[in-house]
Amino acid sequence: MRLGVMFDRDLPPESLVPFCRHLDATEVDDVWVVEDLGWTGAISSAATALAVTGRIRVGIGITPAPLRNPVLLAMELGNLARMHPNRLAAGIGHGVQDWMRRAGAAVPSPLTLLEETVLAVRALLRGETVTTRGRAVRLDGMRLVHPPAVPPPVLAGVMGPRSLELSGRVAQGTILPEGFGPERIAGARELIGAGGRGPALPAPGGGGRAAGGGAGGDRGPGGGEKPDGGPEGAVFNQL
């Protein structure tokens, strides 16, 4: 059991420094930073929190996949993981769909994008050269020049049934939103467990569909299960 505290998005950004320094001197294990549209960026917040502390782990909950190219995201996460080994947990999610639309970043299939983004980011952080032609992510011989010796865990910040199954397939943990009580957590764990072993990235010329189904590939805004959105909590498993 780990004790985590979330830095409230409505606090002045500059107060993150004394906030994290104070937590670093307590028994708190993790501090979580968020990335809600119009507030602050999670990567810069995480970098700041890591730089002013020496013990606590910093969790990102979450970066929206539609706003983050997977190569750039892996570059940022890999850099932080190299400079602060074993002190980063990186959450990726769908993002609030209305926010993604307003930002001009809405995609036809948020589930497919999240699956392919998580797989690509994890592979890049492992130091692999990645070539893939998926339905949402297409990379050609990309790799990190300085991959971290110990890749940070990549988590999925999700809540819907299909998304929870997806998390069980491709992520190393799951971030659940605030308000999940014991019964909902138990149900979420069942869905995560049902996800089974994760797929590989779609290969070039393989039709563009991720192995494992790309759950909800034809379901986007206005069709089928709504992708998850909203602030994420620091409740996660599989770590």
Side-chain angles (χ1 to χ4, degrees), residues 158-161 163-165 167-168 174-177 180-195 237-238:
V158 294
M159 60 183 288
S163 299
L164 289 166
E165 291 177 2
S167 179
T174 303
I175 306 172
L176 301 176
F180 262 58
E183 292 185 1
R184 294 188 71 186
I185 291 175
R189 288 174 66 95
E190 289 184 8
L191 289 165
I192 293 165
N237 64 356
Q238 296 179 262

Side-chain angles (χ1 to χ4, degrees), residues 35 42-44 60 62-81 88 90-93 113-114 116-122 124-125 139 144 148 152 154-155:
E35 184 168 276
I43 301 297
S44 57
I60 296 174
I62 57 166
T63 56
L67 293 181
R68 298 282 182 176
N69 177 278
V71 177
L72 180 58
L73 181 55
M75 290 164 58
E76 299 279 21
L77 298 176
N79 196 30
L80 291 178
L88 177 68
I92 309 173
L113 175 62
L114 180 59
E116 294 181 2
T117 296
V118 169
L119 288 170
V121 168
R122 290 188 61 190
L124 290 164
L125 289 173
L139 305 178
L144 298 185
V154 177
L155 321 174

Side-chain angles (χ1 to χ4, degrees), residues 199-215:
L201 279 165
R209 178 177 288 277

